[in-house]
Amino acid sequence: MNTLFISDLHLDSERPSSIQQFLRFTEEEASTAAALYILGDLFEAWIGDDDTHPGYEPIIEALASLKLRGTPCFFMHGNRDFLVGKRFAAATGCQLLAEHKIVELGDKRVLLTHGDLLCTDDKPYMDLRATVRDPNWQRDFLAKSLEERRAIADDLRDKSQIAVAEKPPEIMDVNQQTVEATMCEHEVSILLHGHTHRPGIHHFDLNGIEATRIVLGAWYEQGSVVRWDANGFHLETLSR
Ligand code: MN
């Protein structure tokens, strides 16, 4: 049986082809999987579970029906959808995960994380993250009207796009020391994450042990999935 991992779909009603691909993926591949893990940024933006965006309904229904057909589904927050909460979990049947999660696959312990916490060279982003992950900031934000929240989210997104365009690309990749420290702290030799939109498999020495970092890709032009089966892991592209 396969265990499937995806991230960075950035689903948005303005990009229906990604949504269609995700719906097909849940109906076909994922419905026979042992489990589906979504490692953040399923949505391009999520301003609260009370935002009943009609474009999101098919996505919620697809996750709920996946659960009904017997595939447990796990959701980890990304930097775009960190406000996904209990109401979403109840509507979809997804179990919400903390920002680090260890899963056991065969005889391997694998650490899952979205990936933004590994990008410690990007100091302005880490500061912004600390602000928006503060429970007080979130409570104040969620108390605002949907219109106000949408305006704030659009503003943050515009600022982030400008900042990203100005930053050298290596700043927005993971910091190798942070990767190694995180893996040591969780006592794993395999790390699986998304966020950087740089799909790949990296092998390196971690205190004398061969370590592996697997990076999922984004779903803008095509899909990206890690499939874990009896033979180990496979990083695959899903054509559209
Ligand atoms: Mn991200």
Side-chain angles (χ1 to χ4, degrees), residues 8 41 79 114 195:
D8 304 282
D41 290 354
N79 51 302
H114 175 59
H195 179 67

Side-chain angles (χ1 to χ4, degrees), residues 73-225:
C73 186
F74 301 89
F75 181 96
M76 187 178 270
H77 294 121
N79 51 302
R80 302 303 196 105
D81 50 16
F82 58 86
L83 287 172
V84 160
K86 288 191 185 124
R87 214 194 286 186
F88 171 89
T92 57
C94 284
Q95 188 182 324
L96 301 185
L97 301 176
E99 55 197 19
H100 293 107
K101 169 74 183 168
I102 292 177
V103 288
E104 293 190 10
L105 297 161
D107 59 349
K108 307 274 192 241
R109 273 163 54 85
V110 180
L111 177 63
L112 311 176
T113 193
H114 175 59
D116 55 334
L117 280 172
L118 304 170
C119 299
T120 47
D121 292 331
D122 189 348
K123 301 236 160 36
Y125 170 70
M126 295 307 281
D127 290 345
L128 172 68
R129 187 185 196 279
T131 302
V132 301
R133 297 297 180 102
D134 182 308
N136 293 321
W137 185 93
Q138 295 192 357
R139 201 192 45 231
D140 290 349
F141 181 79
L142 291 171
K144 294 181 197 296
S145 70
L146 284 168
E147 287 67 33
E148 280 177 282
R149 278 183 259 164
R150 222 167 268 131
I152 295 169
D154 287 348
D155 183 52
L156 283 174
R157 190 153 52 142
D158 290 347
K159 283 190 181 133
S160 139
Q161 275 167 357
I162 294 165
V164 163
E166 285 170 350
K167 282 172 200 166
E170 61 277 13
I171 296 289
M172 286 174 295
D173 202 353
V174 299
N175 173 291
Q176 182 64 19
Q177 276 172 314
T178 306
V179 165
E180 293 180 15
T182 304
M183 293 176 80
C184 286
E185 188 192 328
H186 292 90
E187 299 176 342
V188 294
S189 60
I190 304 173
L191 170 63
L192 170 53
H193 70 87
H195 179 67
T196 60
H197 302 184
R198 299 172 198 217
I201 297 164
H202 306 270
H203 299 286
F204 51 96
D205 179 273
L206 183 66
N207 303 328
I209 295 165
E210 178 172 304
T212 307
R213 179 170 68 91
I214 309 160
V215 190
L216 285 157
W219 281 48
Y220 290 122
E221 278 94 36
Q222 57 198 12
S224 178
V225 61

